[in-house]
Amino acid sequence: MGSFIQRVSGFGFGIFVMTVFPHILPSYGEATALSGMLACSMSLVVAYRMRKYIVWKEVLPPP
């Protein structure tokens, strides 16, 4: 559900997930860590799909 909200609106994953995860998981710290890992994995999937459009010279820091 959080991923769907993120795709449609561009934001909202963290808000939705952090309203649900603390009730499901034993601690708030675990909910925060899992939310961060899921958000990172979503970003990596999008970056992988769009890898041919990425201009790496603009992304990487200068030497």
Side-chain angles (χ1 to χ4, degrees):
M1 186 66 170
S3 298
F4 176 75
I5 293 171
Q6 180 75 24
R7 286 184 194 172
V8 172
S9 66
F11 66 95
F13 174 77
I15 296 168
F16 177 77
V17 168
M18 287 310 292
T19 60
V20 176
F21 276 3
H23 300 290
I24 297 172
L25 299 172
S27 73
Y28 187 76
E30 289 179 14
T32 304
L34 183 58
S35 172
M37 287 188 290
L38 290 174
C40 183
S41 65
M42 281 180 21
S43 297
L44 289 174
V45 167
V46 171
Y48 180 75
R49 287 183 182 171
M50 299 296 168
R51 69 188 180 277
K52 56 186 163 189
Y53 303 109
I54 297 173
V55 180
W56 290 105
K57 290 181 181 177
E58 294 179 10
V59 175
L60 299 175

